[in-house]
Amino acid sequence: MRKTSLFSVAMLALVLATSCCNEPKVKNVIYLIGDGMGFGAVTSLLLSEDEVTGFEQAPVIGLSETCSANNYVTDSAAGGTALATGTRTNNGFVGADPEGNQLTSVLRKAQEMGKKTGIVVNTTLTEATPASFYAGVTSRKMVFDIAKQFTESNVDVAIGGGLDHFIARPDSLDLTATLIEKGYDVFLNWETVLGTDSEKFVGILPLYDLHRREENNGTASAAEGQEVCLAAQLASLNEDVNTTHLSEPTVYLEKATVKALDILSRNNKDGFFLMIESAIIDGYGHNNDSDGMIVEMKEFNRTLQNMIDYVNNNPETLLVVTADHETGGTGVYYNGHKPGNEGPVKLNFSTSGHTGTVVPIFAYGPGAENFAGLMKNTDVPKKIEALMKK
Ligand SMILES: [Zn+2]
C-alpha cells in the first residue's frame, strides 16, 4: 500500500511537472484597457449582443480594486499609472509616484527584455492612460512634456491622435521632425497607416478619424474637478469635417490594433508588448449616455474578438483585458421584456463621474490563471511582468 501511494505521489508530481512545462511561454502580451469599463458597460453588451461576445470566451475572470493613493475613486491618470507601473499614485499623476519620481512601466520592462512595443488608442497618444506607460509627470495636463517624453520612449508602433501636442507647442519644437530623426516613419493620415510595412512608425491622426462624432451631444456634464469626456469634446470640435476627409471611425480601433499586431509580429524573435486603450467608454459614462455606451461596447467587442483570434492562432500570447475604473455608476434600468419582444437595453447612472467599485479582468492564453480572483489594480502589471520573465 505504502509503495503504491508513494508511486501515485511520484506520478502526480510527474504529471504536474509535465503539465506546467508544456504550457507555452508568454512571448507576446496584449494589454487591452477599457477606460471606464465597469460591470454596467460589460452587461450592456451581453444584453444587447446576440452572438457570443469576447468576454464570454475568457477562460479566466478576475476582479480589480481601482482606488488611487489619495482617493477611493481614481482618475484615469492614477488608474493608468497603477495598471502600467504597479504603483498607486495620486489622482492627476501620470507614470510618477506621489513624490513625483518617474516609475518604470511594464512596457519599459518588456523593452528591457528585448520585446518590441506598441501603443494603440482611440484618443490622443498623450492622454493619461497611454502616457502612464512611457511618461513620468505630476499632472496629466502637462501634455507638451508628455509628447516630448513620447519621443524618448522607443515604442516601435504607435497609433492615436494629438498632433497639436507634437507640433503646436509653446517651445516651437516640431516633435514629428524629432521622431523622424530617431528613425521613425511619421504618418498623419489613416490610409497611410493602414498601408504601411514600416516596422517603426507613429500614426498621429485627426480625432475625427479615431472616433465617430455624435449629433447634438456637445453638453459635457462632468462634476467639479472631473475630466470633461472626449466624446463631448469630439462633438464640439470646430474642425471643418469634410465627408471625403472622414475615414472609418467606427472601425478605427479594431483595424488599428490588427495593423499593430501585424507589424509587431514581424521579426520578433523576443516577442512584443502591445497596449491598447478604448478610451471613450468613459465618455459615455460621464455623459450618462446609454445608447452611446452600448454602441461603444460593441466596437470594443469587435476589437476584443480580433485579439482573441490572435491568441488562438499564436499560443505564446497572453491577453489581459481590464478597466482603469468604472464611470457613471452604470446599471441596467428596470425594463421588462418578453422573449421575442425585447426592447432596447436601457442603462441608468448614479453619477456623471467615476466610481470606486471593482472592475472585471478577463484573461486569455498562457498564464491566464494568474488573473483569477480579487486583486489590486497594481497587481495586474506585476503579474504580467512575472509571466514575461518566465
Ligand atoms: Zn473619465
Side-chain angles (χ1 to χ4, degrees), residues 231-255:
Q233 285 180 42
L234 279 162
S236 59
L237 277 179
N238 289 321
E239 290 176 28
D240 177 23
V241 182
N242 177 332
T243 47
T244 59
H245 217 155
L246 278 169
S247 57
E248 308 169 288
T250 56
V251 292
Y252 159 78
L253 195 63
E254 56 183 309
K255 287 201 170 184

mmCIF file of all heavy atoms in Angstrom, residues 231-255:
data_model
loop_
_atom_site.group_PDB
_atom_site.id
_atom_site.type_symbol
_atom_site.label_atom_id
_atom_site.label_comp_id
_atom_site.label_asym_id
_atom_site.label_seq_id
_atom_site.Cartn_x
_atom_site.Cartn_y
_atom_site.Cartn_z
ATOM 1 N N ALA A 231 -15.832 62.221 -25.678
ATOM 2 C CA ALA A 231 -16.975 62.153 -26.588
ATOM 3 C C ALA A 231 -17.591 63.538 -26.753
ATOM 4 O O ALA A 231 -17.957 63.949 -27.856
ATOM 5 C CB ALA A 231 -18.011 61.171 -26.046
ATOM 6 N N ALA A 232 -17.685 64.280 -25.652
ATOM 7 C CA ALA A 232 -18.240 65.628 -25.726
ATOM 8 C C ALA A 232 -17.280 66.568 -26.445
ATOM 9 O O ALA A 232 -17.702 67.418 -27.239
ATOM 10 C CB ALA A 232 -18.529 66.149 -24.328
ATOM 11 N N GLN A 233 -15.999 66.401 -26.192
ATOM 12 C CA GLN A 233 -15.020 67.232 -26.899
ATOM 13 C C GLN A 233 -15.108 67.011 -28.399
ATOM 14 O O GLN A 233 -15.041 67.938 -29.187
ATOM 15 C CB GLN A 233 -13.599 66.877 -26.442
ATOM 16 C CG GLN A 233 -13.234 67.404 -25.080
ATOM 17 C CD GLN A 233 -11.807 66.992 -24.726
ATOM 18 O OE1 GLN A 233 -10.916 67.038 -25.546
ATOM 19 N NE2 GLN A 233 -11.625 66.581 -23.494
ATOM 20 N N LEU A 234 -15.252 65.753 -28.780
ATOM 21 C CA LEU A 234 -15.339 65.439 -30.207
ATOM 22 C C LEU A 234 -16.558 66.093 -30.826
ATOM 23 O O LEU A 234 -16.506 66.643 -31.924
ATOM 24 C CB LEU A 234 -15.443 63.917 -30.391
ATOM 25 C CG LEU A 234 -14.127 63.154 -30.314
ATOM 26 C CD1 LEU A 234 -14.400 61.683 -30.068
ATOM 27 C CD2 LEU A 234 -13.352 63.342 -31.598
ATOM 28 N N ALA A 235 -17.675 66.020 -30.100
ATOM 29 C CA ALA A 235 -18.915 66.569 -30.632
ATOM 30 C C ALA A 235 -18.822 68.075 -30.823
ATOM 31 O O ALA A 235 -19.460 68.637 -31.704
ATOM 32 C CB ALA A 235 -20.062 66.225 -29.690
ATOM 33 N N SER A 236 -18.023 68.730 -29.986
ATOM 34 C CA SER A 236 -17.963 70.185 -30.069
ATOM 35 C C SER A 236 -16.758 70.677 -30.885
ATOM 36 O O SER A 236 -16.470 71.860 -30.890
ATOM 37 C CB SER A 236 -17.929 70.772 -28.654
ATOM 38 O OG SER A 236 -16.803 70.278 -27.973
ATOM 39 N N LEU A 237 -16.061 69.770 -31.541
ATOM 40 C CA LEU A 237 -14.916 70.180 -32.354
ATOM 41 C C LEU A 237 -15.352 71.145 -33.441
ATOM 42 O O LEU A 237 -16.381 70.963 -34.069
ATOM 43 C CB LEU A 237 -14.296 68.954 -33.053
ATOM 44 C CG LEU A 237 -13.311 68.113 -32.269
ATOM 45 C CD1 LEU A 237 -12.856 66.961 -33.146
ATOM 46 C CD2 LEU A 237 -12.130 68.945 -31.831
ATOM 47 N N ASN A 238 -14.541 72.153 -33.640
ATOM 48 C CA ASN A 238 -14.871 73.106 -34.697
ATOM 49 C C ASN A 238 -14.168 72.765 -36.009
ATOM 50 O O ASN A 238 -14.234 73.507 -36.959
ATOM 51 C CB ASN A 238 -14.460 74.515 -34.266
ATOM 52 C CG ASN A 238 -15.380 75.025 -33.173
ATOM 53 O OD1 ASN A 238 -16.583 74.780 -33.230
ATOM 54 N ND2 ASN A 238 -14.816 75.695 -32.183
ATOM 55 N N GLU A 239 -13.490 71.631 -36.038
ATOM 56 C CA GLU A 239 -12.763 71.267 -37.252
ATOM 57 C C GLU A 239 -13.731 71.177 -38.433
ATOM 58 O O GLU A 239 -14.856 70.733 -38.300
ATOM 59 C CB GLU A 239 -12.081 69.907 -37.072
ATOM 60 C CG GLU A 239 -10.927 69.956 -36.111
ATOM 61 C CD GLU A 239 -10.338 68.564 -35.880
ATOM 62 O OE1 GLU A 239 -10.424 67.720 -36.779
ATOM 63 O OE2 GLU A 239 -9.806 68.361 -34.786
ATOM 64 N N ASP A 240 -13.242 71.604 -39.544
ATOM 65 C CA ASP A 240 -14.042 71.547 -40.762
ATOM 66 C C ASP A 240 -14.015 70.107 -41.273
ATOM 67 O O ASP A 240 -13.064 69.671 -41.897
ATOM 68 C CB ASP A 240 -13.444 72.508 -41.794
ATOM 69 C CG ASP A 240 -14.190 72.431 -43.110
ATOM 70 O OD1 ASP A 240 -15.364 72.008 -43.093
ATOM 71 O OD2 ASP A 240 -13.597 72.775 -44.138
ATOM 72 N N VAL A 241 -15.045 69.371 -40.963
ATOM 73 C CA VAL A 241 -15.037 67.963 -41.329
ATOM 74 C C VAL A 241 -15.718 67.773 -42.673
ATOM 75 O O VAL A 241 -16.927 67.848 -42.803
ATOM 76 C CB VAL A 241 -15.723 67.107 -40.258
ATOM 77 C CG1 VAL A 241 -15.669 65.643 -40.645
ATOM 78 C CG2 VAL A 241 -15.044 67.314 -38.932
ATOM 79 N N ASN A 242 -14.901 67.538 -43.649
ATOM 80 C CA ASN A 242 -15.363 67.271 -44.983
ATOM 81 C C ASN A 242 -15.627 65.770 -45.070
ATOM 82 O O ASN A 242 -14.822 64.980 -44.613
ATOM 83 C CB ASN A 242 -14.201 67.699 -45.906
ATOM 84 C CG ASN A 242 -14.495 67.423 -47.342
ATOM 85 O OD1 ASN A 242 -15.244 66.502 -47.646
ATOM 86 N ND2 ASN A 242 -13.881 68.201 -48.197
ATOM 87 N N THR A 243 -16.738 65.366 -45.601
ATOM 88 C CA THR A 243 -17.045 63.925 -45.579
ATOM 89 C C THR A 243 -16.011 63.105 -46.349
ATOM 90 O O THR A 243 -15.768 61.952 -46.023
ATOM 91 C CB THR A 243 -18.436 63.637 -46.171
ATOM 92 O OG1 THR A 243 -18.549 64.349 -47.376
ATOM 93 C CG2 THR A 243 -19.525 64.009 -45.220
ATOM 94 N N THR A 244 -15.370 63.703 -47.363
ATOM 95 C CA THR A 244 -14.343 62.949 -48.079
ATOM 96 C C THR A 244 -13.124 62.750 -47.176
ATOM 97 O O THR A 244 -12.292 61.918 -47.421
ATOM 98 C CB THR A 244 -13.883 63.688 -49.346
ATOM 99 O OG1 THR A 244 -13.361 64.960 -48.944
ATOM 100 C CG2 THR A 244 -15.006 63.886 -50.320
ATOM 101 N N HIS A 245 -13.072 63.545 -46.142
ATOM 102 C CA HIS A 245 -11.973 63.511 -45.189
ATOM 103 C C HIS A 245 -12.170 62.399 -44.173
ATOM 104 O O HIS A 245 -11.238 61.855 -43.639
ATOM 105 C CB HIS A 245 -11.976 64.846 -44.443
ATOM 106 C CG HIS A 245 -10.634 65.347 -44.140
ATOM 107 N ND1 HIS A 245 -10.375 66.668 -43.960
ATOM 108 C CD2 HIS A 245 -9.444 64.727 -43.984
ATOM 109 C CE1 HIS A 245 -9.093 66.837 -43.699
ATOM 110 N NE2 HIS A 245 -8.517 65.662 -43.718
ATOM 111 N N LEU A 246 -13.423 62.119 -43.887
ATOM 112 C CA LEU A 246 -13.725 61.127 -42.859
ATOM 113 C C LEU A 246 -13.273 59.751 -43.304
ATOM 114 O O LEU A 246 -13.552 59.334 -44.424
ATOM 115 C CB LEU A 246 -15.233 61.072 -42.613
ATOM 116 C CG LEU A 246 -15.792 62.138 -41.682
ATOM 117 C CD1 LEU A 246 -17.309 62.117 -41.755
ATOM 118 C CD2 LEU A 246 -15.349 61.877 -40.268
ATOM 119 N N SER A 247 -12.573 59.057 -42.471
ATOM 120 C CA SER A 247 -12.171 57.701 -42.825
ATOM 121 C C SER A 247 -13.198 56.724 -42.270
ATOM 122 O O SER A 247 -14.353 56.779 -42.642
ATOM 123 C CB SER A 247 -10.767 57.414 -42.329
ATOM 124 O OG SER A 247 -10.716 57.628 -40.949
ATOM 125 N N GLU A 248 -12.792 55.868 -41.384
ATOM 126 C CA GLU A 248 -13.696 54.819 -40.926
ATOM 127 C C GLU A 248 -13.712 54.817 -39.403
ATOM 128 O O GLU A 248 -13.281 53.850 -38.791
ATOM 129 C CB GLU A 248 -13.194 53.468 -41.418
ATOM 130 C CG GLU A 248 -12.915 53.426 -42.896
ATOM 131 C CD GLU A 248 -12.166 52.142 -43.256
ATOM 132 O OE1 GLU A 248 -10.986 52.035 -42.924
ATOM 133 O OE2 GLU A 248 -12.811 51.263 -43.851
ATOM 134 N N PRO A 249 -14.202 55.870 -38.789
ATOM 135 C CA PRO A 249 -14.046 55.974 -37.342
ATOM 136 C C PRO A 249 -14.713 54.853 -36.560
ATOM 137 O O PRO A 249 -14.287 54.528 -35.464
ATOM 138 C CB PRO A 249 -14.670 57.332 -37.010
ATOM 139 C CG PRO A 249 -15.527 57.659 -38.165
ATOM 140 C CD PRO A 249 -14.912 57.012 -39.354
ATOM 141 N N THR A 250 -15.756 54.220 -37.127
ATOM 142 C CA THR A 250 -16.415 53.164 -36.349
ATOM 143 C C THR A 250 -15.612 51.868 -36.339
ATOM 144 O O THR A 250 -15.894 50.974 -35.545
ATOM 145 C CB THR A 250 -17.831 52.861 -36.880
ATOM 146 O OG1 THR A 250 -17.705 52.522 -38.253
ATOM 147 C CG2 THR A 250 -18.745 54.045 -36.698
ATOM 148 N N VAL A 251 -14.660 51.738 -37.243
ATOM 149 C CA VAL A 251 -13.839 50.516 -37.242
ATOM 150 C C VAL A 251 -12.382 50.843 -36.967
ATOM 151 O O VAL A 251 -11.520 49.982 -37.064
ATOM 152 C CB VAL A 251 -13.952 49.739 -38.571
ATOM 153 C CG1 VAL A 251 -15.339 49.152 -38.730
ATOM 154 C CG2 VAL A 251 -13.581 50.609 -39.762
ATOM 155 N N TYR A 252 -12.122 52.100 -36.583
ATOM 156 C CA TYR A 252 -10.733 52.526 -36.375
ATOM 157 C C TYR A 252 -9.999 51.606 -35.402
ATOM 158 O O TYR A 252 -8.923 51.091 -35.693
ATOM 159 C CB TYR A 252 -10.688 53.977 -35.860
ATOM 160 C CG TYR A 252 -9.378 54.284 -35.167
ATOM 161 C CD1 TYR A 252 -8.228 54.543 -35.901
ATOM 162 C CD2 TYR A 252 -9.271 54.248 -33.776
ATOM 163 C CE1 TYR A 252 -7.010 54.762 -35.266
ATOM 164 C CE2 TYR A 252 -8.063 54.468 -33.145
ATOM 165 C CZ TYR A 252 -6.940 54.724 -33.890
ATOM 166 O OH TYR A 252 -5.744 54.926 -33.267
ATOM 167 N N LEU A 253 -10.572 51.386 -34.207
ATOM 168 C CA LEU A 253 -9.800 50.703 -33.164
ATOM 169 C C LEU A 253 -9.494 49.261 -33.562
ATOM 170 O O LEU A 253 -8.362 48.799 -33.397
ATOM 171 C CB LEU A 253 -10.538 50.746 -31.816
ATOM 172 C CG LEU A 253 -9.661 50.399 -30.616
ATOM 173 C CD1 LEU A 253 -8.532 51.407 -30.436
ATOM 174 C CD2 LEU A 253 -10.486 50.314 -29.342
ATOM 175 N N GLU A 254 -10.479 48.575 -34.126
ATOM 176 C CA GLU A 254 -10.206 47.179 -34.488
ATOM 177 C C GLU A 254 -9.187 47.099 -35.621
ATOM 178 O O GLU A 254 -8.286 46.248 -35.600
ATOM 179 C CB GLU A 254 -11.489 46.427 -34.851
ATOM 180 C CG GLU A 254 -12.293 47.054 -35.954
ATOM 181 C CD GLU A 254 -13.607 46.301 -36.219
ATOM 182 O OE1 GLU A 254 -13.579 45.078 -36.403
ATOM 183 O OE2 GLU A 254 -14.656 46.948 -36.268
ATOM 184 N N LYS A 255 -9.277 48.003 -36.591
ATOM 185 C CA LYS A 255 -8.324 47.947 -37.701
ATOM 186 C C LYS A 255 -6.926 48.385 -37.264
ATOM 187 O O LYS A 255 -5.925 47.822 -37.704
ATOM 188 C CB LYS A 255 -8.805 48.823 -38.863
ATOM 189 C CG LYS A 255 -9.987 48.220 -39.607
ATOM 190 C CD LYS A 255 -10.108 48.813 -40.997
ATOM 191 C CE LYS A 255 -11.127 48.044 -41.824
ATOM 192 N NZ LYS A 255 -11.196 48.527 -43.207
#
